[in-house]
Amino acid sequence: MTVLTPERAANVPAPASPGVPARSRRGRGRAGLVLAAPFAVLLTATVLVPIGYALYLSLFTDRLSGLGFSGPRQAFVALGNYVDVLTDSAFHTSLGNVALFVVVHIPIMLGLALLLALLVDSAVVRLKRVWSLAVFLPYAVPTVITGLVWAYLYSPGSGLSAVLPVDPLGKTGILPSIVNIATWQWVGYNMIIFYTALQAVPRDVLEAARADGAGGVRTAWSVKVPMIRPTMFVALVFTVIGSLQLFTEPLVLRGFTGSVTSTWSPSLYVYEAAFIAGDYGRAAAASVLLALVSALLSALVMRLSNRRSR
């Protein structure tokens, strides 16, 4: 038997991982790169490149040179577009409108979706598939069609506007009207998400709660809801991001009422700046600011989620 000295032992190469040849590891790495390549290409083409181009546009603006006969030229203004947007009262008003929308819409929509999911998951409701399909069906309708249908229902000639205490297309009722449209369309989508999460709750835990004497309401509130809390926070994050991008509902209702201006929401503000005023630099700056607000709120919600899960 040969005994290796320390100097000789140090020169011996480390043995490879048992059971995994080096060629196999390299092959798996290449296969992973090949499988990830389509996603990387799509991510770069549809997300990273537009974000970079928006950041580039936000640093420039079009200005006329000389007497203006040669047309506008692109001028570098650094953070000038951001200053213009942040000091624009129309942008402040749009942020205030969407903030009120978020405060009213999210609790109502997610609360109603959770309640419907708990009812469908319980033994109270029969024909669960029929109820799930009926509630989910509005999500399958395009948002533009949904806005047009509700706009005609809100019009003065319809019976719905006659029984409401306020004018749904007036200055006081326009926010509840938009909240109603968004809630009607998205409550079924989130109900399906919550219902799917409820199906994953261990049945032995529910049986233990019933054995301890907990009723249906107590089991739902003290057992089911805490166990699907991570799913609820994920739905909350996506709802916050989607609510900040509110665009189609006010755009459709703008053709039926003067209560919705061209800058009623931040997305409408960006649309007006880019495609009506032709100020792409200001539109890009507003888009970047809106994205930052969405990222900050999403990070805040996720941090609260992590704290509650500890």
Side-chain angles (χ1 to χ4, degrees):
M1 183 172 68
T2 305
V3 179
L4 296 177
T5 61
E7 293 80 3
R8 187 177 178 184
N11 297 326
V12 176
S17 300
V20 183
R23 291 183 179 179
S24 178
R25 291 197 304 271
R26 288 194 296 268
R28 291 180 182 179
R30 293 169 184 169
L33 292 176
V34 171
L35 293 175
F39 171 77
V41 172
L42 288 175
L43 177 67
T44 303
T46 61
V47 177
L48 299 181
V49 172
I51 290 176
Y53 186 58
L55 291 172
Y56 170 80
L57 284 180
S58 66
L59 303 177
F60 293 87
T61 189
D62 291 335
R63 290 178 179 174
L64 296 176
S65 59
L67 298 177
F69 296 108
S70 60
R73 62 179 181 85
Q74 205 173 46
F76 179 74
V77 293
L79 300 179
N81 288 321
Y82 293 94
V83 175
D84 293 340
V85 172
L86 291 175
T87 56
D88 192 352
S89 59
F91 186 71
H92 299 164
T93 303
S94 67
L95 287 178
N97 291 333
V98 80
L100 289 175
F101 173 81
V102 168
V103 170
V104 177
H105 167 66
I106 291 181
I108 293 176
M109 191 271 293
L110 291 183
L112 185 59
L114 179 61
L115 177 61
L116 291 174
L118 290 172
L119 289 175
V120 173
D121 184 65
S122 66
V124 177
V125 178
R126 298 180 179 180
L127 301 175
K128 296 181 180 181
R129 293 184 179 180
V130 176
W131 278 103
S132 300
L133 178 61
V135 178
F136 181 77
L137 191 59
Y139 174 74
V141 180
T143 308
V144 175
I145 304 300
T146 301
L148 289 173
V149 170
W150 279 103
Y152 282 110
L153 291 176
Y154 291 150
S155 61
S158 67
L160 180 61
S161 61
V163 299
L164 294 176
V166 295
D167 182 9
L169 297 178
K171 291 184 178 181
T172 305
I174 193 63
L175 179 63
S177 299
I178 296 177
V179 169
N180 176 65
I181 296 174
T183 301
W184 184 79
Q185 186 174 24
W186 288 96
V187 67
Y189 173 83
N190 288 278
M191 185 209 72
I192 296 299
I193 293 177
F194 294 155
Y195 177 68
T196 305
L198 288 172
Q199 293 297 298
V201 175
R203 297 298 146 181
D204 54 348
V205 176
L206 302 179
E207 293 176 0
R210 297 190 190 99
D212 290 340
V217 177
R218 184 61 183 273
T219 301
W221 181 255
S222 300
V223 179
K224 292 183 179 181
V225 173
M227 297 196 73
I228 67 169
R229 188 174 294 160
T231 303
M232 294 170 58
F233 276 107
V234 171
L236 177 60
V237 170
F238 287 127
T239 305
V240 169
I241 296 174
S243 298
L244 291 176
Q245 299 174 0
L246 180 67
F247 177 75
T248 306
E249 292 86 350
L251 179 65
V252 173
L253 293 181
R254 193 178 66 176
F256 294 83
T257 177
S259 301
V260 180
T261 63
S262 60
T263 58
W264 195 87
S265 68
S267 296
L268 281 177
Y269 180 92
V270 173
Y271 178 83
E272 189 273 339
F275 301 107
I276 298 178
D279 192 349
Y280 295 101
R282 181 162 60 92
S287 301
V288 172
L289 292 174
L290 181 60
L292 290 176
V293 172
S294 301
L296 290 176
L297 289 179
S298 301
L300 178 61
V301 172
M302 294 304 297
R303 187 171 183 179
L304 292 176
S305 172
N306 294 332
R307 286 186 176 181
R308 294 296 298 271
S309 61
R310 292 176 181 175

